[in-house]
Amino acid sequence: MKGTSFWRIGPTATASVAALVVAASGVMAQDAAVQLDQVNVTGGQGGIGVGSGVGPFPGLVAPASTAGTKTDTPIIETPQSLTVIGRDRLDTFQSVNVNEALRYTPGVSPDVYGVDQRSDNYITIRGLPANFFQDNLQLPLLPPYGSWRVDPWSLERVEVLRGPASILYGQGNPGGTVNYVSKRPTSTPIFIGQTLFGSQGLAQLNLDQGGPIDPQGAWSYRVAATLYRTNLDFGNPNEGRRLSLSPSLRWSPDASTSMTVFANYLRDHTSIDTNFLPAQGTVLFNPFGQIPRSTWTGNSSFDGYDKTQWSIGYEFEHEINKVWTVRQNLRFNHIESDIKTVYGAGLYPSPPDNYQYIAELAARANPGADRFAVDTQAQAKFDLGETSHTMLFGVDYAHQKTWDPQFYNFSPYLLNLFQPSYASLWDLQLFPAQNTRQYLDQVGLYAQDQMKVTDRVVITAGLRYDIARQSFRDTVVSDAVVYNNNYVWSPRVGAVILMDGGFAPYGSYTQSFLPNVGSNVEGQPFGPSFGRQGEVGVRYVPPGTNSQLSVAAFSIDQTNVISQVGPNLLDAFAQDLNSRGFEAEALLQFEEGFRAIGSFTFQDVRVTGDADPTNVGKRPVAVPDTILQLWADYKFSSTPLSGLRVGAGIRYYGSTMGDVENTFKVPNFTLVDAGVSYDIQNWRLAINANNILDTHYVAACSGETACFYGTGRKVLGSVRYTW
């Protein structure tokens, strides 16, 4: 299947980049002695200097990132939309999961189906599924219900690169990439202890300790740990528990060499608080009224979600001389989940005969994966005439083994949505629905050049070649093994003009590909997904400030986008999509203590190819057309209020389509947040309230049988001590 606008992006984007380069010739003809505000970037990938591409930074605006180029690059020189969420912002919102951390970010739709104890991966960027990386290595590819989770306390920053990134990372969706940057060992001692408490009986303990080990400082360490328990939402009578431990050890015998070893262990022992409710009674009329938000469609006799995951790896960096630096990043991930749940399968019998009772499905699944990945790079920095170059050459390899056995049966009982009662399902027999085994091997070779011309124009160009080989087997359907080989070129070209006054217009053209995991209802493995994007935009850094404003327009085409409709985990299908739109972001920070975050997203996402031609031109489910988010806070500096910060925010999400056929809509909704914190000496006291007005809303529907309420009011308090 090919989208109708798939092949129109390349010429458009190339013309945009060409126009920028032509405009640059006029800029270069001006006095080259004009100086721009300098951006200081210190520390390499192996270090954690303030201002480096992986280290901490104060406030809201990161000066540099590695997410867009795999090199320490000032964000203003990156020809692609990029938002970096640092520790300051994570702490301001007291984010206890990644979805909360990604709020107020343009182009991103977190909490797509409301709160979900299973996964943080129900996220779209520019209306398309997101990619997930940690420390620039891809996390295991799994369906969201069994995906890798990252505890935000273990992170230094969360980076959101919008648009394709296969030139750097190989396989991936073109909508965008979320890259988690781990906390790293510190050269100075640090100890942070924090307790959190709040709604749903939340009780959480966080510890963060690090510093040098030997007097010379060649060895240093860091340990971040989280332990929590909480009651669950939406009527679920169970509780959730988590243990997360993220130690790291760094060896740096001299200023040119570093080796950092990372490990992570996470154990989630919880339940599923995602209710599959019918559209009638949530977003459509039901003669019995609105289905209560507290209605639970699960069953205590058949319920549980246990996830165990661990990883170990390292980052190595050695500066050979002033020109050449070599790096290697390596990691092994293991994840396994045990899922046992009952959920709604729609009104039965169907309206108008019934509006109270739903049929239910019982499901058991044990998805998991092992993934090994290694990325070896050589970087060269040199000047050639009036140009300076940062060239990157790399080869990466990934191997993943994935398994996903699933068992189903209908419950023999109907559930009354308005007066629920629960019968025991201890003796319910389940039947195998799938038993998949999938292997993926991928080798990628890439080269990139970041060329700066007279300190005015930055041209980034790169090319990557991937060999991806897959084998797929579903023993429930057949004993046959299906093989799929892909040989793919992924180019990228972009240009940024560094103009007087802090303006930096840019344009870029990028491509992507993704070997999909899983199969359709017939048991056939999904084919790979290909994507292309053209993007133009401009960043503005007001001189003498720590603020940044940006706008971007984009158009993306992607083939074989995997979606799921209905309650059955097997109800997955592929479509071709086009996403085009406009984004704006403002990160404002003033010396007087006032800060503001603003983001606006308009995205028009349409189906351009489908097995059912009547779906062409329609909008996919759960993708809002408009997102508007504003947050502002103020920190007092005068006594007796010195250290007090107060803030509030508002989040607006436009309407979404409720089913594939676009027969009904999910209404838009607006949420209000607030926060107060007080810093005194080594102590920090904070209270945050999300959806403070307790707005009742439906986050999204994926069909008439699968609608999901959004989270109600959540209040969270914390006490932190640092020394």
Side-chain angles (χ1 to χ4, degrees):
M1 296 185 293
K2 293 183 175 64
T4 56
S5 59
F6 192 93
W7 304 106
R8 295 202 302 267
I9 301 180
T12 303
T14 304
S16 300
V17 174
L20 281 170
V21 175
V22 170
S25 62
V27 174
M28 290 186 287
Q30 298 174 359
D31 185 0
V34 176
Q35 296 294 314
L36 299 175
D37 292 338
Q38 183 176 353
V39 177
N40 294 314
V41 179
T42 61
Q45 274 191 257
I48 58 166
V50 174
S52 75
V54 296
F57 59 92
L60 302 175
V61 180
S65 171
T66 63
T69 58
K70 280 192 177 177
T71 65
D72 268 345
T73 300
I75 290 177
I76 199 171
E77 297 180 6
T78 303
Q80 205 165 329
S81 293
L82 175 63
T83 297
V84 180
I85 301 166
R87 195 67 245 175
D88 191 333
R89 184 162 159 178
L90 291 171
D91 292 340
T92 296
F93 294 121
Q94 299 203 93
S95 305
V96 297
N97 59 57
V98 172
N99 279 338
E100 293 179 0
L102 292 173
R103 293 169 182 170
Y104 297 94
T105 303
V108 179
S109 299
D111 304 316
V112 171
Y113 296 111
V115 66
D116 196 328
Q117 291 293 320
R118 301 172 298 171
S119 174
D120 295 320
N121 286 18
Y122 288 104
I123 293 171
T124 62
I125 302 178
R126 293 182 168 173
L128 302 173
N131 311 303
F132 299 91
F133 284 68
Q134 187 160 8
D135 300 318
N136 287 335
L137 289 175
Q138 190 163 34
L139 293 169
L141 291 167
L142 280 165
Y145 54 80
S147 60
W148 190 271
R149 298 199 76 176
V150 178
D151 190 272
W153 182 254
S154 67
L155 301 177
E156 195 67 68
R157 51 167 76 182
V158 180
E159 302 173 321
V160 180
L161 179 67
R162 290 178 284 280
S166 282
I167 169 62
L168 300 173
Y169 303 116
Q171 56 194 11
N173 284 296
T177 297
V178 178
N179 181 47
Y180 307 115
V181 180
S182 304
K183 289 180 176 177
R184 285 161 164 74
T186 59
S187 58
T188 56
I190 181 175
F191 187 93
I192 303 174
Q194 176 176 264
T195 61
L196 297 96
F197 46 88
S199 301
Q200 303 297 124
L202 174 68
Q204 179 169 321
L205 174 65
N206 296 129
L207 296 175
D208 184 5
Q209 183 172 353
I213 297 176
D214 62 317
Q216 294 75 28
W219 292 88
S220 55
Y221 77 101
R222 188 87 173 261
V223 178
T226 297
L227 180 66
Y228 80 64
R229 69 156 299 281
T230 181
N231 300 326
L232 301 184
D233 214 339
F234 303 118
N236 191 319
N238 300 295
E239 67 177 24
R241 298 180 181 179
R242 167 174 291 180
L243 170 63
S244 173
L245 185 64
S246 300
S248 56
L249 179 67
R250 184 169 187 256
W251 173 63
S252 183
D254 53 55
S256 61
T257 305
S258 69
M259 174 83 165
T260 305
V261 178
F262 297 93
N264 169 263
Y265 174 82
L266 185 143
R267 174 87 161 93
D268 274 350
H269 179 72
T270 183
S271 177
I272 297 177
D273 54 359
T274 301
N275 289 321
F276 287 76
L277 299 171
Q280 290 87 356
T282 52
V283 297
L284 299 179
F285 172 77
N286 188 312
F288 290 90
Q290 191 81 5
I291 298 172
R293 195 165 57 180
S294 59
T295 295
W296 184 48
T297 61
N299 191 295
S300 296
S301 66
F302 196 89
D303 183 81
Y305 189 96
D306 292 325
K307 177 178 291 183
T308 302
Q309 62 181 51
W310 58 268
S311 67
I312 188 166
Y314 64 77
E315 289 181 347
F316 172 78
E317 178 178 276
H318 177 64
E319 183 180 315
I320 299 174
N321 51 43
K322 292 184 178 180
V323 175
W324 288 98
T325 300
V326 294
R327 304 186 189 96
Q328 187 176 76
N329 300 341
L330 179 149
R331 188 174 63 229
F332 178 81
N333 296 77
H334 171 82
I335 179 172
E336 57 186 37
S337 300
D338 184 8
I339 306 172
K340 186 168 60 174
T341 185
V342 175
Y343 52 90
L347 293 170
Y348 184 83
S350 301
D353 298 323
N354 169 57
Y355 285 93
Q356 298 183 75
Y357 293 92
I358 60 170
E360 293 196 292
L361 274 170
R364 186 75 184 261
N366 298 102
D370 290 329
R371 183 178 180 88
F372 171 80
V374 58
D375 183 11
T376 304
Q377 309 165 16
Q379 176 183 294
K381 300 189 71 171
F382 57 91
D383 294 332
L384 187 63
E386 293 188 342
T387 65
S388 60
H389 297 258
T390 299
M391 299 196 71
L392 186 69
F393 305 92
V395 55
D396 60 30
Y397 169 73
H399 170 78
Q400 179 170 320
K401 177 177 69 174
T402 309
W403 57 92
D404 191 4
Q406 297 181 11
F407 304 84
Y408 288 88
N409 196 3
F410 277 98
S411 166
Y413 310 104
L414 298 179
L415 180 71
N416 188 320
L417 293 168
F418 299 92
Q419 295 181 341
S421 61
Y422 305 95
S424 175
L425 297 177
W426 286 109
D427 57 350
L428 181 65
Q429 181 182 3
L430 302 183
F431 300 97
Q434 73 170 37
N435 186 18
T436 61
R437 294 290 187 275
Q438 192 162 358
Y439 293 85
L440 169 67
D441 286 279
Q442 178 186 333
V443 178
L445 300 170
Y446 58 90
Q448 175 183 266
D449 185 16
Q450 297 168 259
M451 179 177 65
K452 183 177 287 189
V453 184
T454 63
D455 291 332
R456 285 290 193 172
V457 178
V458 182
I459 300 174
T460 301
L463 186 64
R464 179 186 177 101
Y465 180 69
D466 277 285
I467 302 172
R469 297 179 176 176
Q470 291 175 278
S471 65
F472 178 90
R473 182 184 184 187
D474 185 350
T475 58
V476 173
V477 177
S478 170
D479 289 331
V481 179
V482 179
Y483 296 93
N484 189 10
N485 297 330
N486 294 283
Y487 308 90
V488 182
W489 291 95
S490 300
R492 175 169 79 165
V493 59
V496 182
I497 303 175
L498 304 176
M499 302 178 66
D500 292 333
F503 288 94
Y506 69 88
S508 63
Y509 170 70
T510 51
Q511 290 186 2
S512 71
F513 92 101
L514 174 69
N516 284 308
V517 174
S519 61
N520 59 22
V521 292
E522 286 80 26
Q524 297 299 314
F526 290 116
S529 175
F530 296 92
R532 298 186 178 191
Q533 174 187 266
E535 178 179 327
V536 293
V538 61
R539 291 187 178 93
Y540 174 56
V541 178
T545 72
N546 191 24
S547 299
Q548 178 180 284
L549 296 91
S550 61
V551 295
F554 61 88
S555 180
I556 306 173
D557 280 279
Q558 183 180 6
T559 64
N560 282 331
V561 183
I562 308 304
S563 301
Q564 180 181 317
V565 62
N568 195 322
L569 298 181
L570 300 175
D571 289 338
F573 61 96
Q575 291 180 318
D576 296 346
L577 299 178
N578 171 259
S579 173
R580 61 183 62 198
F582 171 84
E583 296 165 351
E585 181 178 42
L587 303 173
L588 305 176
Q589 189 161 300
F590 302 96
E591 294 182 357
E592 293 78 10
F594 176 77
R595 303 186 309 179
I597 302 171
S599 71
F600 173 77
T601 302
F602 171 76
Q603 52 195 15
D604 183 16
V605 186
R606 299 285 174 172
V607 176
T608 56
D610 192 284
D612 182 355
T614 62
N615 289 332
V616 173
K618 294 177 179 176
R619 291 171 53 190
V621 299
V623 177
D625 54 2
T626 305
I627 306 174
L628 176 62
Q629 303 173 103
L630 300 171
W631 171 272
D633 59 37
Y634 181 80
K635 187 172 184 178
F636 294 87
S637 57
S638 59
T639 56
L641 299 178
S642 178
L644 176 66
R645 184 187 297 276
V646 295
I650 186 169
R651 293 177 281 137
Y652 169 83
Y653 297 87
S655 62
T656 61
M657 289 299 171
D659 61 354
V660 175
E661 295 79 16
N662 289 190
T663 61
F664 70 96
K665 281 186 176 183
V666 178
N668 59 53
F669 55 89
T670 302
L671 307 175
V672 178
D673 307 323
V676 179
S677 64
Y678 182 57
D679 296 301
I680 178 171
Q681 297 180 350
N682 294 354
W683 292 91
R684 181 178 187 269
L685 311 177
I687 298 177
N688 285 77
N690 296 320
N691 189 8
I692 194 170
L693 302 180
D694 197 27
T695 300
H696 288 236
Y697 66 100
V698 174
C701 298
S702 61
E704 281 198 3
T705 65
C707 293
F708 308 91
Y709 281 123
T711 309
R713 181 189 299 115
K714 294 288 185 181
V715 180
L716 179 66
S718 68
V719 178
R720 177 185 298 184
Y721 186 73
T722 304
W723 73 90

